[in-house]
Amino acid sequence: MLVKLSLKALATPRNKTGESMDLNTVCFIMFSFLLLGYLLLEGFDYGVGMLHPFLGKSESEKRAILQTIAPVWEGNEVWLIAAGAVLFAGFPDVYATLFSGLYLALLLILVTLILRGVAFEFRNQDNNPAWRKFWDWSIFLGSIIPALLWGIALANLLYGLPIDGEKQYVGTFGDLLSIYSLTGGLFFTLLFLLHGTVFLTLRLDHRFTPQVRKISLTTSKYAILLSAGFILLSFLRTDLTAKLAPAVALTALFLALLFCCRYLKDHQYVLSFIFSTTAIISTVAAIFTGLFPRLIVSSLNPDWSLTVYNSASNPLTLKIMAVTMAIVLPAVLAFEIWKYHIFRERVNINNAAIESHKLLWEQLHWQLQQLITHSRNLITIIKKGKKTLDSGVNSLDKVPETATANELQKFRELIRYGRQVAKLVAKMITRLRN
């Protein structure tokens, strides 16, 4: 009964006094929450990926760094998929306009995320240093490019895009680049880098803490300076000054970065992570509270902006989406809590090295089994060939079509088996050297 009453309250249209929330607002809040969850959780993934090529000297250290995010990064992508589903079903006009106007930026995000996912899987498939270096830099590019483009995209939603009266994007890729949007992109990149470094202080082996802390302090100082520029430009280039909530959120953002830096100096890493998280929440909250009830601001005419009302689906679709997400979101949150509880322990570098050696010896064991199999086949063929030759058959071309001929035919495979054995031995020697 309580659930029915809650859903009924959500479905009640907003009256003139604004006492209740309409479905358009509910879907807007759900989309904002899901995108915030993605940026919050994927933010430290981006930060760790940006640091990966520069942090850690040995292979075991680099494996340990990746192991901090390897069990969780795929699950973090679910938040983005869910946010896209809400946007597609709840606000199809906004979805269409974004994917036409920001097509190149969103395509770059998609391609780099795919490249990063492939890099996680392919990196350890070969011991060649050049191979691993290529995938390490792929992880770097797959982290820094999406971070930059997400900042540019979110800043442009608030700054304004050339949207005409037909709800169509009529600009070019150059219209996405401005002082404000580039500042937003750089700020988000530094914010995610800071979030990732603080995350590593909590998850990585203690011997890495001094080095990571040094990077965190440097990043936090630059993030504070850039946040000041982003906040100033937000007040000068957007209409955030017209509302109290965005101003409060931007103030909270600046204070959160200051506290994060302070607690890093005091070696209080849990509090530092809490305030880096607060900084991301405050940034996203400032953007979406400043946007509401708009979703995309039109730089051509404010009346052409896409809002939660002029770009929404029909009420039935909004109601189905609201009910569905009301059921799914608690399950997603419960799963996320369970996931991070399972992988809460620090990653030990020695354990990572053991895992690396374990994988190597498993490969050697498989190759040794192949060698034994080929050797047995080789011995069998030699015995049968010797028996046939002792019986007086000296020409392979004149062998009668009998059982003896079949045995001699197998003898022709001797060279092929020999080559395979030689290759296996060479691989084993190479792996033992490594």
Side-chain angles (χ1 to χ4, degrees), residues 18 59 62 68 86 91 139 176 214 217 224 261 270 277 309 315 353 378 404 421-422 429:
E59 176 58 26
K62 288 190 174 295
T68 60
V86 172
F91 309 102
I139 294 173
L176 302 177
K214 184 178 179 180
L217 284 171
I224 290 171
C261 182
V270 174
T277 301
Y309 300 107
L378 178 61
T404 305
V421 171
I429 293 173

Side-chain angles (χ1 to χ4, degrees), residues 259-275:
F259 279 110
C260 180
C261 182
R262 174 188 170 183
Y263 286 117
L264 278 172
K265 292 179 180 178
D266 295 339
H267 304 271
Q268 299 184 37
Y269 303 118
V270 174
L271 289 174
S272 298
F273 185 74
I274 290 174
F275 280 106

Side-chain angles (χ1 to χ4, degrees), residues 73-366:
W73 74 270
E74 287 180 296
N76 296 339
E77 306 292 336
V78 174
W79 291 83
L80 180 61
I81 297 172
V86 172
L87 188 65
F88 176 77
F91 309 102
D93 290 337
V94 176
Y95 185 90
T97 303
L98 278 179
F99 274 83
S100 60
L102 302 179
Y103 176 78
L104 182 57
L106 294 175
L107 180 63
L108 284 174
I109 291 176
L110 179 62
V111 170
T112 50
L113 286 178
I114 292 174
L115 180 65
R116 189 180 67 149
V118 171
F120 281 124
E121 300 298 329
F122 278 22
R123 183 186 180 277
N124 298 324
Q125 298 302 315
D126 198 319
N127 293 324
N128 190 332
W131 170 272
R132 286 181 170 171
K133 187 176 182 180
F134 171 79
W135 292 116
D136 287 344
W137 284 104
S138 297
I139 294 173
F140 171 79
L141 293 175
S143 300
I144 193 171
I145 292 177
L148 178 67
L149 293 178
W150 276 120
I152 292 175
L154 290 174
N156 272 314
L157 295 182
L158 193 60
Y159 181 70
L161 295 172
I163 307 296
D164 62 13
E166 301 290 328
K167 302 179 182 178
Q168 299 292 326
Y169 181 85
V170 294
T172 62
F173 181 76
D175 294 320
L176 302 177
L177 305 178
S178 63
I179 295 177
Y180 181 70
S181 64
L182 290 175
T183 302
L186 292 174
F187 171 64
F188 267 81
T189 303
L190 281 179
L191 191 58
F192 290 149
L193 179 60
L194 174 63
H195 198 43
T197 55
V198 178
F199 173 77
L200 286 178
T201 61
L202 298 175
R203 292 281 287 115
L204 202 54
D205 197 309
H206 285 291
R207 71 185 75 178
F208 266 111
T209 302
Q211 184 181 359
V212 176
R213 175 179 172 272
K214 184 178 179 180
I215 297 173
S216 296
L217 284 171
T218 303
T219 305
S220 65
K221 293 175 183 178
Y222 284 110
I224 290 171
L225 292 176
L226 203 54
S227 69
F230 179 72
I231 292 171
L232 179 62
L233 288 174
S234 296
F235 282 106
L236 295 177
R237 301 294 184 92
T238 68
D239 58 357
L240 286 179
T241 54
K243 298 179 181 180
L244 177 61
V248 173
L250 290 176
T251 304
L253 158 65
F254 188 75
L255 293 175
L257 289 175
L258 288 177
F259 279 110
C260 180
C261 182
R262 174 188 170 183
Y263 286 117
L264 278 172
K265 292 179 180 178
D266 295 339
H267 304 271
Q268 299 184 37
Y269 303 118
V270 174
L271 289 174
S272 298
F273 185 74
I274 290 174
F275 280 106
S276 69
T277 301
T278 304
I280 295 177
I281 295 174
S282 300
T283 305
V284 177
I287 292 174
F288 281 100
T289 55
L291 276 174
F292 185 80
R294 304 162 298 177
L295 280 163
I296 305 178
V297 175
S298 174
S299 59
L300 302 179
N301 187 336
D303 295 333
W304 293 343
S305 299
L306 299 182
T307 69
V308 296
Y309 300 107
N310 66 12
S311 62
S313 298
N314 59 71
L316 178 60
T317 303
L318 293 176
K319 184 175 182 180
I320 292 174
M321 179 56 64
V323 173
T324 302
M325 295 310 298
I327 297 172
V328 171
L329 270 180
V332 173
L333 287 172
F335 172 75
E336 289 294 332
I337 294 172
W338 173 80
K339 178 180 70 175
Y340 284 97
H341 174 74
I342 293 296
F343 298 106
R344 67 187 183 278
E345 300 295 334
R346 286 184 179 270
V347 176
N348 189 283
I349 295 177
N350 294 330
N351 291 339
I354 291 172
E355 290 296 325
S356 174
H357 295 155
K358 181 180 177 182
L359 178 62
L360 173 62
W361 284 110
E362 285 177 353
Q363 294 174 348
L364 289 175
H365 179 259
W366 179 83

